[in-house]
Amino acid sequence: MTESVRWRNVCRCVSWFRGIINVLRRTGTVGKEADMAVGLEEFLDTGGFVPHGVCLLWRPDILMLHVASDVLIGLSYFSIPVALIYFVMRRRDVAFGWMALLFALFIIACGTTHFLSVWTLWTPDYVLEGLVKLITAFVSLATAAALWWLMPRLLALPSPRQLEASNRALELEVETRREMEARYSSFFNNLGEALFIVQVLPDGDFAYGAINPALARIGGLDPDRLRDRRVRDAVKPELADLVIPRYTACRDSGKTIDYEETLDMPAGQRVFHTMLVPVKDAAGRVVQILGSGRDVTERKRLQEEVIQTSKLATLGTLAAGMAHEMSQPLNIIRLWTENTLTRLQDNLLEPARAEKALRLVIEQTERMGKLIDHVRMFGRRDGGGMRSFHPADCVQSAVELVRHQYRQEGIEIVEKGWSAQLAVSGRPLELEQVILNLFSNARDAIIALRATGGAAGRIMVAVGDDPDGYSVVIQVTDDGGGIDPAVLPQIFDPFFTTKEVGKGSGLGLSIGYGIIDGMGGRIEARNVDLEGGGRGVRFTITLPSQPVSSVDREFSHA
């Protein structure tokens, strides 16, 4: 570089500094009273400035170095915010998206300062450059403050390794649940028992969620027709009236219930042993009912056949006594009729005596009619369902049926404690059959004891409400000497008997046990010591006034 050029540049720098000094002087002499518009105009005035290229002595190589570097940096700074904004717009779920936008604004401001650095190489707009830097400073401070404020939350975000481990755990859980669902679906669809799901709607009504193929096959139901439909809309009104009270009881109690019911379904009448299990949500409200039903129609039919056979056998045992019951009123009728006819033939019949004879005949025929009706009713097949009745009436009927026969054999039936007021659920004739079987066993024990020279001849019957107020207790006690304690626990087993061969089938007590168990009750036997030094067996039947679950029933028998 020549000496003249060097001095020329020095003069330019001196002139530039002199301009700055003049501006400062003018600013200092104006004072507070100066007009703001004039001050702003002077502040924005760039007449006294020289371009930045002067300081670089306008060397092309240095100028190109600065221009290229600032342009590349500025372009990069402008492309990064575009990428950030694109990322945030495409990933709406990203956490702290607003922070990315703040970074984008900060980077744009920084990129603008680099472009202004290129501009001021030739144009001395240093005030504009300073304002942009001021804006960049504020944006930088806000970004830094926001970053440090978010730092604890950012550090709490899971790392990629943690996310990978969580994803693996989730995949394993999903796979496990899929296996469980497949297993449940296989269990639900292939089990032979009837399964169904009842949804408890927000208004308290019920809707079928699903039924398995076994229930569809047994009941003749269409799973697609029942799914997601209210019970009253999905089945016949008669069927809905039977099942809805059961669902309501399970929902209100929140406990598992089981029961036996006879339902008229599209495939015909079926008997189910049903269990309902409530499913509760986190708040403890029943939202679903899981139901299972076992078709016991054939088993109930076989049980009724066995009960009917036993009932006819009981009538056969009582045949001799019933023949006596029939012959006694017939003899009375014959004697009074013959006497009345003789007096009529001899013209000695008085109206009062004739009236007495006819009334006596009517009373005896009514007695025979009642006996015949009772035997006919007892001997017929009981096809009715469970109903509510007073057990004392059944006990009284059984007593009246055998009282006269046992009296002829010197056996007295003593009634005491006849205070039962509660009703039970079951079949009256079946309960009467159980009582008659206990009377028959007591009679056989008394006769067997007499054969060995012992004194016996009383059967005590008592019916009363239990002090708990929830059950009825029936006791049948004899003075026939009792049962060997070694075999007492086995007397309710099928085909077990203490009688001689040919004198007992061993099914009477077993059938009685099944009848009482079907009514939700229990029957027990124990030896007792009686007044006067006698000994015998006391059978105690306890029947609940309300149905109980099979679990409670098994516990009571245990």
Side-chain angles (χ1 to χ4, degrees):
M1 182 179 293
T2 62
E3 191 69 22
S4 59
V5 173
R6 184 176 301 163
W7 279 108
R8 190 181 305 118
N9 289 338
V10 171
C11 291
R12 287 177 180 174
C13 288
V14 170
S15 176
W16 178 62
F17 282 114
R18 185 177 296 166
I20 293 176
I21 293 171
N22 291 333
V23 170
L24 293 176
R25 285 176 178 176
R26 285 197 299 268
T27 304
T29 57
V30 169
K32 297 181 180 179
E33 297 82 6
D35 184 70
M36 294 299 296
V38 175
L40 181 61
E41 182 181 354
E42 292 179 352
F43 177 74
L44 296 176
D45 183 19
T46 60
F49 299 136
V50 294
H52 190 221
V54 172
C55 296
L56 301 179
L57 302 180
W58 301 108
R59 286 181 54 178
D61 54 346
I62 297 177
L63 288 175
M64 291 304 299
L65 177 62
H66 281 271
V67 169
S69 300
D70 285 328
V71 168
L72 290 177
I73 293 173
L75 290 176
S76 300
Y77 275 16
F78 271 65
S79 66
I80 292 174
V82 173
L84 288 175
I85 294 173
Y86 176 77
F87 176 77
V88 172
M89 295 298 293
R90 294 297 300 269
R91 289 290 304 272
R92 298 283 186 176
D93 59 336
V94 68
F96 313 119
W98 61 270
M99 188 65 192
L101 297 177
L102 189 59
F103 266 107
L105 181 61
F106 159 70
I107 296 174
I108 289 175
C110 291
T112 304
T113 60
H114 283 274
F115 284 122
L116 286 174
S117 295
V118 175
W119 174 259
T120 55
L121 287 174
W122 287 275
T123 305
D125 288 331
Y126 299 115
V127 176
L128 176 61
E129 184 182 18
L131 292 175
V132 172
K133 288 183 177 181
L134 180 63
I135 295 173
T136 304
F138 284 124
V139 175
S140 302
L141 287 174
T143 304
L147 181 61
W148 282 107
W149 178 68
L150 285 177
M151 187 60 67
R153 300 170 66 181
L154 293 173
L155 293 175
L157 292 176
S159 64
R161 182 176 298 177
Q162 291 174 328
L163 288 175
E164 183 180 358
S166 299
N167 289 334
R168 285 199 301 267
L170 287 175
E171 290 175 359
L172 180 61
E173 183 178 355
V174 169
E175 185 65 25
T176 302
R177 291 193 176 187
R178 285 177 179 173
E179 292 179 359
M180 293 177 61
E181 288 178 0
R183 192 178 308 159
Y184 163 77
S185 178
S186 176
F187 173 81
F188 187 81
N189 292 323
N190 297 321
L191 192 67
E193 290 190 3
L195 301 177
F196 56 94
I197 301 174
V198 179
Q199 304 288 348
V200 180
L201 303 179
D203 60 358
D205 202 1
F206 305 97
Y208 285 113
I211 65 171
N212 71 335
L215 179 56
R217 181 179 62 255
I218 295 171
L221 301 172
D222 184 2
D224 295 331
R225 183 176 179 274
L226 266 65
R227 187 178 295 111
D228 298 328
R229 295 187 63 189
R230 293 178 181 262
V231 175
R232 290 198 178 276
D233 297 334
V235 299
K236 294 180 179 180
E238 298 81 6
L239 182 58
D241 291 338
L242 289 176
V243 300
I244 287 180
R246 302 289 190 178
Y247 301 159
T248 303
C250 181
R251 180 199 65 194
D252 294 343
S253 66
K255 298 179 180 179
T256 299
I257 63 173
D258 67 311
Y259 52 91
E260 200 170 276
E261 60 183 350
T262 302
L263 301 177
D264 288 323
M265 309 186 77
Q269 190 178 80
R270 311 301 296 177
V271 182
F272 286 96
H273 181 88
T274 306
M275 177 173 290
L276 302 179
V277 180
V279 178
K280 302 178 181 179
D281 60 9
R285 187 174 63 90
V286 177
V287 295
Q288 240 181 18
I289 297 176
L290 305 182
S292 66
R294 178 172 297 177
D295 185 7
V296 295
T297 306
E298 191 64 22
R299 189 186 73 183
K300 294 297 293 184
R301 187 186 65 80
L302 294 176
Q303 287 179 348
E304 290 177 358
E305 290 289 344
V306 173
I307 292 174
Q308 181 66 16
T309 303
S310 175
K311 191 184 299 183
L312 295 178
T314 302
L315 286 178
T317 304
L318 300 175
M322 287 187 292
H324 177 77
E325 288 290 318
M326 297 291 290
S327 64
Q328 184 179 11
L330 284 174
N331 288 333
I332 295 175
I333 292 173
R334 182 175 60 80
L335 290 174
W336 279 86
T337 303
E338 289 178 352
N339 182 270
T340 303
L341 181 60
T342 300
R343 286 179 173 274
L344 179 62
Q345 292 173 348
D346 295 339
N347 295 323
L348 300 176
L349 184 61
E350 300 173 358
R353 186 174 183 82
E355 181 181 357
K356 180 180 179 180
L358 292 176
R359 289 187 181 277
L360 186 60
V361 169
I362 293 174
E363 290 175 359
Q364 296 302 316
T365 53
E366 288 179 351
R367 176 183 171 186
M368 286 191 300
K370 290 180 180 179
L371 182 61
I372 292 173
D373 289 341
H374 193 146
V375 172
R376 184 185 301 160
M377 182 184 303
F378 181 77
R380 72 185 180 187
R381 187 181 300 275
D382 187 1
M386 306 282 280
R387 64 184 181 87
S388 179
F389 67 95
H390 290 282
D393 298 335
C394 297
V395 178
Q396 186 65 49
S397 298
V399 170
E400 293 299 329
L401 190 61
V402 300
R403 183 194 298 275
H404 296 286
Q405 174 188 352
Y406 286 10
R407 185 179 297 166
Q408 298 299 320
E409 297 176 343
I411 299 175
E412 179 186 8
I413 297 181
V414 181
E415 304 171 20
K416 62 180 187 177
W418 222 265
S419 60
Q421 300 294 329
L422 297 175
V424 299
S425 179
R427 293 185 175 93
L429 292 180
E430 291 184 356
L431 179 59
E432 185 175 342
Q433 176 183 350
V434 175
I435 302 301
L436 285 173
N437 184 261
L438 295 180
F439 286 166
S440 177
N441 289 340
R443 168 184 171 274
D444 293 343
I446 290 173
I447 293 176
L449 183 61
R450 286 176 177 176
T452 61
R458 285 196 310 159
I459 301 176
M460 286 73 73
V461 184
V463 184
D465 295 334
D466 195 73
D468 62 10
Y470 295 101
S471 55
V472 178
V473 178
I474 304 172
Q475 290 184 338
V476 178
T477 309
D478 65 69
D479 58 355
I483 300 176
D484 185 356
V487 302
L488 189 60
Q490 307 173 39
I491 61 174
F492 294 109
D493 295 343
F495 304 107
F496 179 83
T497 179
T498 58
K499 300 176 183 178
E500 298 178 5
V501 177
K503 292 188 177 181
S505 63
L507 288 175
L509 288 177
S510 176
I511 293 173
Y513 181 95
I515 291 173
I516 299 302
D517 181 72
M519 296 174 65
R522 65 180 186 271
I523 180 171
E524 303 167 327
R526 63 186 182 91
N527 292 317
V528 294
D529 295 324
L530 305 173
E531 297 178 0
R535 184 173 176 80
V537 178
R538 175 171 294 162
F539 285 88
T540 302
I541 299 173
T542 305
L543 298 174
S545 59
Q546 298 294 331
V548 296
S549 67
S550 60
V551 176
D552 295 335
R553 210 156 53 231
E554 292 173 4
F555 178 78
S556 66
H557 288 316

